[in-house]
Amino acid sequence: MTRTFLTGGTGFIAAHILDKLLEADHSVVTSVRSHEKGQWILKNHPGVSKDKLSYAIVEDIAKEGAFDEAIKSDPPFDTVIHASSPFHFNTNDSKKDLLDPAIIGTTGILKAIKRSAPTVKRVVITSSFASIIDGSKGMRPGYVYSEKDWNPVTEDEAVQNASLGYRASKTFAERAAWDFVEKEKPNFTLATMCPPLVLGPIIHHLQSLDSLNTSNQRVYNIMSGKAKEELPPTGTFLWIDVRDLAFAHVRAASMEEAQNKRFFITAGYFSNEEIADIIRDNFPERKEKLPAKGVKGGGYPEDGLYKYDNSRTKKVLGIEFKSLKESIVDTVKSLEAAGA
Ligand code: NDP
C-alpha cells in the first residue's frame, strides 16, 4: 500500500485528492492547521481505519521548518502531494499573505523530505495556469499556451496588488520547486499540476458560505442573485472539474511516464454566460434570482482568445474530462446543500 502525505486536506481541491487517494488504496496522512479541522476530516470518513487516514498539525506553511515533524512517519512515506497554498485576493500585503506561504511552503516541504523522509520517491505539487499565462499580453488571440510557457511576472509586479501577487506566488513557488530538484538532486521525482479555474462540488468543511473557496464564488454569485442585472467578466476562460484534477494528481503520483513533467490540465473554454445558462436550464426554481438569457456581460471576447494545448494531460494521464454542465450542476447542488 502506498503511503502518502497530502498537505492541506481541508482545502477545496485537496479534499477531493484525499478521497481519490483513499479510493486508490493509499494510506494517507494529511496536514491541517488545527485538531478541530483534523477531527472534522476523520468524522467525515467514518468507515476508514486509523492506519489508512490520519492527520498532522502544520499551523503555518510560511514558517521555516513547518513540515519538519509532520514529514516523519512510521511507516514512512512513499509519496507527497503538496496542495496547500493561499488562493484568495483579500490582502494588501501580497508578500506576507500570498508569496511567503506559497514559496516557503513549497521549498519547506521539499527540504523536509530531503532531510527527513528519504523513502519518498515521488512529489506532486498543485501549481496553476497562473504560472503559465502571461497576463500582460491580454487575450492573445491565436497564441497556444502549453507546458512550455512560463508567466514572466517580476518581483516588483508581485507586490503591486493581490491579483498579481497570487499569480506570482504560484509562478515563483513552482519555479522554486523545479530549481530545487535541479540543484539538490533529491531522491524523488517531481510532477506539477497547472490547472486554470477549478469548479465542482464542495466536499470540504465550510464554516459558512462567506468562506467559500475563491474559484466557486462566481457560481455562488450567479445562482444567488448577485449577477441578475449584469454578468461579471469571465477573466480566465479555461476551467477543469475538481474531480478530474484530483484524479490527475493521483495518476501523476503513480505513473512512471508522468515523472519530471508539468501538466497543463484543462477541459477547455467556459464563460460566465454559459454558467448562467446551465443554471437556468437545470434549476428552473431559481429563475427569479438568475440573470435573464442574453443579459449584458459574461461572454467571450469579440476579438478572439488564446488557444490551449492539453495533449500531454490527455495522453500521459489519460484524463477524460467532465462536461461544464455536469460540473456546474453538481456545484450548484453542493452549494444548495450548504445553504445557498
Ligand atoms: P482553498 O482555499 O480551498 O485551499 C487552500 C488550502 O491551503 C487550505 O487547506 C488552507 O488551509 C491551506 N493554507 C493556505 N494558507 C496556509 C498557511 N499559511 N498555512 C497552512 N495552510 C495554509 O483553495 P483551493 O483548494 O482552490 O486551492 C488549492 C491549491 O490549488 C492552491 O495551491 C491553489 O493555488 C491551487 N489552484 C487552485 C485553483 C482554483 O481555481 N481553485 C486554480 C489553480 C490552482 P485552511 O483550510 O486551514 O485555511
Side-chain angles (χ1 to χ4, degrees):
M1 193 189 301
T2 308
R3 186 148 168 89
T4 299
F5 182 58
L6 167 69
T7 68
T10 48
F12 163 56
I13 296 171
H16 283 273
I17 299 174
L18 175 56
D19 283 2
K20 296 277 185 220
L21 285 168
L22 293 173
E23 274 170 42
D25 209 28
H26 288 237
S27 127
V28 185
V29 179
T30 185
S31 67
V32 292
R33 294 212 241 191
S34 67
H35 281 294
E36 195 196 342
K37 292 182 177 187
Q39 288 299 330
W40 190 90
I41 290 176
L42 297 187
K43 242 185 254 152
N44 274 272
H45 293 86
V48 182
S49 62
K50 262 199 310 210
D51 56 332
K52 277 213 81 181
L53 176 62
S54 60
Y55 68 85
I57 305 285
V58 175
E59 277 175 11
D60 184 2
I61 57 174
K63 289 208 175 110
E64 288 290 347
F67 289 109
D68 285 0
E69 288 310 310
I71 201 68
K72 295 175 191 160
S73 162
D74 182 17
F77 293 119
D78 306 294
T79 303
V80 171
I81 299 183
H82 178 49
S84 65
S85 198
F87 178 25
H88 63 79
F89 305 109
N90 318 319
T91 177
N92 294 319
D93 189 343
S94 293
K95 180 173 165 12
K96 176 172 153 291
D97 294 327
L98 299 171
L99 295 158
D100 283 355
I103 301 163
I104 300 171
T106 299
T107 52
I109 183 100
L110 299 181
K111 284 182 202 165
I113 297 167
K114 188 169 184 226
R115 201 164 35 230
S116 309
T119 51
V120 170
K121 292 283 176 279
R122 288 180 182 171
V123 175
V124 178
I125 292 180
T126 317
S127 185
S128 172
F129 180 48
S131 73
I132 290 180
I133 187 171
D134 181 351
S136 70
K137 297 236 163 54
M139 293 300 130
R140 234 177 162 180
Y143 186 80
V144 185
Y145 279 112
S146 73
E147 290 89 356
K148 72 179 181 325
D149 293 292
W150 277 95
N151 182 347
V153 65
T154 64
E155 288 190 13
D156 288 344
E157 288 166 340
V159 291
Q160 281 171 17
N161 59 53
S163 171
L164 279 169
Y166 172 69
R167 287 182 173 199
S169 79
K170 299 307 292 179
T171 308
F172 298 164
E174 192 191 341
R175 271 210 183 279
W178 288 115
D179 287 349
F180 183 93
V181 170
E182 196 182 313
K183 284 191 197 123
E184 300 289 328
K185 311 224 175 324
N187 261 348
F188 56 81
T189 52
L190 177 66
T192 57
M193 309 282 108
C194 300
L197 190 85
V198 186
L199 300 168
I202 50 163
I203 58 169
H204 61 292
H205 178 48
L206 204 60
Q207 288 288 353
S208 79
L209 284 160
D210 293 337
S211 56
L212 182 63
N213 67 287
T214 301
S215 54
N216 274 334
Q217 283 169 13
R218 72 176 66 211
V219 181
Y220 176 53
N221 288 345
I222 294 170
M223 70 188 270
S224 61
K226 293 194 181 97
K228 198 168 159 50
E229 306 306 325
E230 181 174 346
L231 282 160
T234 304
T236 302
F237 290 87
L238 295 173
W239 79 286
I240 179 74
D241 183 274
V242 67
R243 293 159 292 190
D244 292 342
L245 176 62
F247 182 59
H249 281 76
V250 180
R251 297 280 284 182
S254 56
M255 298 176 73
E256 192 53 45
E257 310 89 276
Q259 302 318 304
N260 292 321
K261 290 189 175 74
R262 295 177 96 191
F263 290 92
F264 179 19
I265 303 183
T266 180
Y269 294 121
F270 83 101
S271 71
N272 282 347
E273 188 179 2
E274 288 170 351
I275 292 180
D277 289 347
I278 292 168
I279 303 176
R280 197 182 308 102
D281 290 348
N282 291 278
F283 299 89
E285 68 285 3
R286 303 196 80 90
K287 190 171 172 228
E288 293 309 309
K289 295 194 164 151
L290 294 173
K293 175 98 187 136
V295 80
K296 202 174 152 201
Y300 288 101
E302 282 177 8
D303 298 333
L305 185 57
Y306 44 76
K307 294 186 165 60
Y308 59 90
D309 176 358
N310 60 357
S311 54
R312 177 183 282 178
T313 294
K314 287 198 283 195
K315 194 166 156 228
V316 178
L317 300 180
I319 308 290
E320 285 181 25
F321 301 111
K322 291 198 184 339
S323 69
L324 186 65
K325 178 179 164 191
E326 181 178 355
S327 191
I328 296 301
V329 167
D330 291 348
T331 307
V332 171
K333 284 184 187 162
S334 78
L335 293 174
E336 286 184 336

